[in-house]
Amino acid sequence: VVARGRSVLNPSAAPAGPGADAAFVCEVVTIGNELLSGRTVDTNFAFLARVLEAAGARVLRHESVADIPDAIATAIQSAMSRVPLVVVTGGLGPTPDDVTRKGVSVALGRPLSLDPEILENLRTRWRARGGRDPMPPNNELQAMVPRGATVLPNPVGSAPGLQLQHEASTLFVLPGVPSEMEAITRASIVPWIEARAPRSVSYFTMRTHGIWESVLAEKLADLPTVLPGYLVAFLPGGGGVDVRLRLPGGDGASVDELRARARSALAERIGPYAFGVDDDSLEGVVGKLLVARGYHLAVAESCTGGLLAGRITEISGSSAYFERGVVCYSNGAKTALAGVPASLIEEHGAVSEEVARALARGIARESGAQVGLGVTGIAGPTGGTPEKPVGTVHLAAFAPEGEWHRKLALTGTRSSIRDRSVASALDLARRLLAGLPQPG
Ligand code: AMP
Ligand code: MG
């Protein structure tokens, strides 16, 4: 049934160029009607893609298939004809709509039979969780195993995973419940790949804020010459652009050396737009700057309605430097909570440079914090005027280092305007505290 494409097993036959070192390739098949109807987001694929790649197997293709045995069988057959490793998740549950076992059985021509050991485990588990005796016969379906399968223990649930060899390809079949899929992947698949893959794949990510993707690409145009063998990806989203480099397999240099080369080449070209690396966040970086200076921070937000304080306090340990956040949505609240003079609002309007500055200064003064941030703007979709259209946002940062204001002219939905206002406010604080040039 299954025809082999062997070249993928042979690193020397892999295509040349960046990424050629990741010659151990695989495909992922996710199964479930709920995935195809858009009711469930395919987070299992995202997890598998990251973890398999980190272990050293490059994912070349992903297919989602409905709960139909023949469709599942076809997907598995064709994936196994292309690559040495196929991972399947979903459809191993105890209900009649879970037909992945049947699909595997058809794909590989292996009959299903009841595995007494799995059945005994299922019964023990059923009783331990207080299930009625006898266990419903539906649950016994989970003990049906295609001939020749190795059973992979499930440390967190009832349905075990399965591993099957067919010609030169290995198939892993995992339950769909994310926690169970993750546990079996880590316990059984990752070590299996690590024992076979030529080397694991490593990345270096430089995180930026406040620079367009296209401008960034221009600044990094000479990267292929400066960092040969590195594979560059620009990943916009979340209020900034990440530049992610896949490190080359290369010249005997260690991963640390390869990362250091990437870091210095990128830092030199991106300059103050780069706020961190890998898993760094703007709020985390601002937190570190505050701690280093022994400062406390207070924020007064209008159009972001507490989102700024929310992000700052996502950092565990933020109580060491975050004093308070107030949501002063009405004009009265701006005066009462952040000491903004009513006359200033009267004269310039609530969405203005003057009021943003007064919010930042005022909340610092009211709270005794050294650093204050103020945000006021029009998030839309209603409320814009010709002079102050939707997306007009004024930010201010006040600190012993100085007082900065920035006006944003954002477009997009209410939620994206609010999110980007928060990111820009954090970036304003970052640059002010770090002694970098003012953005904009
Ligand atoms: P199953 O093994 O097909 O019975 O899946 C059990 C549950 O796991 C489903 O109801 C979904 O909630 C979840 N699930 C299955 N496949 C996925 C997937 N690819 N991504 C995220 N959740 C999933
Ligand atoms: Mg299902």
Side-chain angles (χ1 to χ4, degrees), residues 31-34 67 90-93 95 97-98 176:
I31 295 168
N33 292 338
E34 72 276 20
D67 292 299
L92 287 189
T95 51
D97 62 329
D98 287 317

Side-chain angles (χ1 to χ4, degrees), residues 199 249-255 257-258 261:
R199 59 164 286 172
D251 51 9
S254 71
V255 168
E257 286 163 347
L258 293 169
R261 281 179 211 166

Side-chain angles (χ1 to χ4, degrees), residues 176-257:
V177 178
S179 59
E180 302 182 19
M181 182 278 307
E182 289 173 19
I184 301 175
T185 300
R186 291 194 203 284
S188 297
I189 305 184
V190 167
W192 186 90
I193 294 171
E194 282 172 349
R196 286 160 182 81
R199 59 164 286 172
S200 61
V201 179
S202 301
Y203 289 95
F204 176 83
T205 303
M206 187 68 97
R207 310 207 63 195
T208 75
H209 178 87
I211 180 168
W212 294 104
E213 190 182 359
S214 52
V215 178
L216 203 48
E218 236 168 66
K219 286 185 185 284
L220 299 179
D222 65 342
L223 229 47
T225 339
V226 183
L227 295 175
Y230 288 70
L231 195 63
V232 189
F234 294 91
L235 307 166
V241 180
D242 289 347
V243 181
R244 200 183 62 192
L245 297 184
R246 208 175 87 192
L247 310 185
D251 51 9
S254 71
V255 168
D256 285 346
E257 286 163 347

Side-chain angles (χ1 to χ4, degrees), residues 311-324:
R311 256 187 84 171
I312 292 165
T313 55
E314 260 172 44
I315 301 295
S316 162
S318 51
S319 58
Y321 52 82
F322 186 59
E323 210 286 328
R324 75 181 67 166

Side-chain angles (χ1 to χ4, degrees), residues 118-131 135 142 154-159 180:
I118 300 179
L119 187 59
E120 201 35 54
N121 281 341
L122 288 172
R123 291 215 168 102
T124 310
R125 216 185 127 80
W126 177 260
R127 280 192 296 267
R129 305 178 87 202
M135 184 175 79
Q142 292 187 297
N154 180 341
V156 296
S158 58
E180 302 182 19

